[in-house]
Amino acid sequence: MSLDNVKNILLILSGKGGVGKSSITTQLALSLSLAGHSVGILDIDLTGPSIPRLLGIESAKVKQAPGGWLPVEVHPSQILPPAPAPTFPTVSSSTPSNGTSNGTDHASPPNSTTITNGNRTDNESATTPTTNDTPQSQPQPKIGSLHAMSLAFLLTTRSSAIVWRGPKKTAMVRQFLTSVLWPPLDYLLIDTPPGTSDEHIALAETLLKSVSPSPPTHSTNPRQEQQLSGALIVTTPQAIAISDVRKELNFCAKVGVKVVGVVENMSGYVCECCGVGTNLFSKGGGEVMSGEFAVRFLGRVPLDGQWGRLVEEGRRPVYGGVVKKVGERDGGGESVHDGTDNDNDNDDDDPMGIVNERDAEGNGGGPDDEETETDEQRREEGLLVDKYRSCSLRPLFEDIARKVVETVENGTAVTVGGAS
């Protein structure tokens, strides 16, 4: 079977669409790679595959080999050059590193996600990001390789629609699980579509029947660890999302998949201009749900516009730039920044290139804009994993990845009971 080289399989699940499963999968994969683990991503969101776009490899094609498909290499194992001095504040998930006997982290109250700038910590509002001048002189560790497989690699164009009924979806999922020739991997992250339907049933049935009862390599841990390590549940804080995500936890209970933990995504937004934090979608719902099911709460992930710019345009995140306030005008009388991406002004008086940077790339709809380049041609050169080190979310996902590894290696993923 093609999973013979995989030590641990982790499902990324959510009963709700639009909560950011693919973004969480990508950042967890990058963080595990930066920690030295070899990682693979299998995208089984057949009708809406987004992993290739997030990784910046949409134009890649899958190669055929005797016995199956070869996944696309995102980056090999290597030593990265020293990272630039970070310009972001330290983001804390506000959960302790040690789990309790039932796998639950007793975190601080829902409004206590902190953003630390220097020595100041404010649990209610964020501080303005400033540059950390600590030199990055320590030796750089070797990162792990990253590979990916998605149906998007097999489509003729990005806009090709997949119009399949359940049986064909089921067959495709099973083919992905049996016909992809993965290199030796520490972790295989499987990014799933929302819901609990055909893809999820085929995935659970195939994995539970076919995976090895123990790791493919010898482990010093006396516990016979399952190759299917469990599921990571992604939610957003608001009640309407929680009500759907609870169904995914009940799904795990019914099919016998253990739960590694819960991540609360889109938990707050910090303005890059003034540093003011806002809870756009409430806060704390994921932590409350994890307590109800007695599973580990892994942390909260705020919205970060620079992460979006990194995956869309390939730009290394930069924080602390001066952005003109709402209503402030240039000599031409037009508002430079009105809170949207629709302004058409040039950036002559913006030497840092922060204002209207999207317009300069041909995305703002200005009179001289021409759609002559593909997204990948417009991307800045360099490895995504290297540029991700400058993202404010990186320290937070470093902590989440550490908790995931800790839970998997200690065998403390939880078999949940159904909840109403």
Side-chain angles (χ1 to χ4, degrees):
M1 188 176 180
S2 70
L3 299 176
D4 290 343
N5 287 331
V6 179
K7 292 182 182 179
N8 301 288
I9 300 172
L10 189 65
L11 312 182
I12 313 298
L13 301 175
S14 178
K16 184 70 174 176
V19 299
K21 291 183 298 300
S22 297
S23 175
I24 296 294
T25 301
T26 301
Q27 294 188 76
L28 179 58
L30 293 173
S31 298
L32 288 170
S33 175
L34 286 168
H37 301 285
S38 53
V39 187
I41 301 178
L42 175 58
D43 183 3
I44 66 164
D45 191 346
L46 304 179
T47 58
S50 54
I51 289 296
R53 185 177 180 88
L54 289 172
L55 295 175
I57 53 174
E58 282 186 292
S59 62
K61 295 298 180 183
V62 172
K63 294 181 180 179
Q64 196 79 24
W69 291 317
L70 295 177
V72 174
E73 183 181 66
V74 182
H75 64 253
S77 179
Q78 60 185 288
I79 297 177
L80 295 177
T87 60
F88 55 79
T90 301
V91 182
S92 170
S93 63
S94 73
T95 58
S97 60
N98 57 322
T100 61
S101 58
N102 65 357
T104 303
D105 278 346
H106 294 288
S108 44
N111 65 350
S112 63
T113 296
T114 59
I115 295 185
T116 307
N117 184 10
N119 295 321
R120 177 186 172 189
T121 300
D122 185 353
N123 289 339
E124 296 297 338
S125 61
T127 55
T128 304
T130 59
T131 301
N132 184 343
D133 295 325
T134 303
Q136 306 292 308
S137 57
Q138 62 272 24
Q140 299 298 308
K142 193 173 186 179
I143 67 170
S145 62
L146 177 59
H147 293 77
M149 182 64 190
S150 172
L151 183 61
F153 296 138
L154 307 176
L155 302 178
T156 54
T157 65
R158 181 197 301 173
S159 59
S160 297
I162 299 298
V163 187
W164 289 351
R165 295 186 184 274
K168 193 161 186 179
K169 289 183 178 181
T170 297
M172 188 73 250
V173 171
R174 289 175 177 165
Q175 187 171 1
F176 272 148
L177 293 174
T178 57
S179 300
V180 180
L181 304 178
W182 296 102
L185 296 179
D186 294 323
Y187 289 90
L188 175 62
L189 310 183
I190 301 183
D191 185 34
T192 65
T196 56
S197 189
D198 300 292
E199 295 95 330
H200 306 79
I201 296 171
L203 179 65
E205 287 181 346
T206 304
L207 288 177
L208 291 172
K209 289 179 181 178
S210 305
V211 296
S212 171
S214 60
T217 57
H218 177 70
S219 174
T220 58
N221 191 330
R223 180 183 58 83
Q224 288 298 303
E225 185 178 20
Q226 292 289 329
Q227 197 178 6
L228 177 56
S229 301
L232 186 148
I233 307 298
V234 181
T235 186
T236 49
Q238 67 270 41
I240 191 170
I242 295 295
S243 63
D244 285 339
V245 177
R246 290 167 63 91
K247 300 173 185 176
E248 200 74 38
L249 284 164
N250 283 319
F251 170 83
C252 291
K254 289 182 178 180
V255 299
V257 174
K258 294 183 178 181
V259 176
V260 173
V262 173
V263 173
E264 183 179 294
N265 197 22
M266 305 183 194
S267 184
Y269 167 74
V270 180
C271 179
E272 297 176 37
C273 314
C274 61
V276 174
T278 304
N279 295 324
L280 298 177
F281 305 113
S282 182
K283 198 173 185 180
E287 184 179 2
V288 172
M289 182 185 67
S290 66
E292 292 177 358
F293 284 84
V295 299
R296 189 173 191 180
F297 181 64
L298 299 174
R300 302 184 186 90
V301 180
L303 293 166
D304 182 0
Q306 290 294 327
W307 161 249
R309 179 166 291 180
L310 170 60
V311 296
E312 288 290 342
E313 304 173 11
R315 295 181 180 274
R316 183 180 292 274
V318 177
Y319 300 86
V322 178
V323 180
K324 290 180 167 50
K325 297 180 181 179
V326 174
E328 189 172 342
R329 298 178 181 276
D330 274 346
E334 294 294 331
S335 175
V336 174
H337 192 298
D338 61 359
T340 70
D341 291 329
N342 297 323
D343 26 13
N344 296 319
D345 306 310
N346 59 46
D347 51 358
D348 293 339
D349 56 352
D350 178 35
M352 296 187 66
I354 303 298
V355 178
N356 293 329
E357 196 164 3
R358 293 177 61 86
D359 291 348
E361 292 298 313
N363 293 328
D368 296 327
D369 291 341
E370 294 183 5
E371 295 294 334
T372 59
E373 295 180 302
T374 65
D375 290 340
E376 290 191 55
Q377 288 173 328
R378 285 196 293 263
R379 296 177 67 89
E380 290 184 354
E381 294 184 1
L383 294 176
L384 175 66
V385 67
D386 177 34
K387 290 179 279 191
Y388 180 66
R389 294 184 294 172
S390 300
C391 183
S392 71
L393 300 180
R394 186 267 171 108
L396 194 152
F397 271 92
E398 186 176 33
D399 185 55
I400 292 176
R402 178 186 57 77
K403 292 176 183 178
V404 168
V405 171
E406 177 185 274
T407 301
V408 170
E409 292 184 350
N410 294 335
T412 54
V414 177
T415 301
V416 299
S420 58

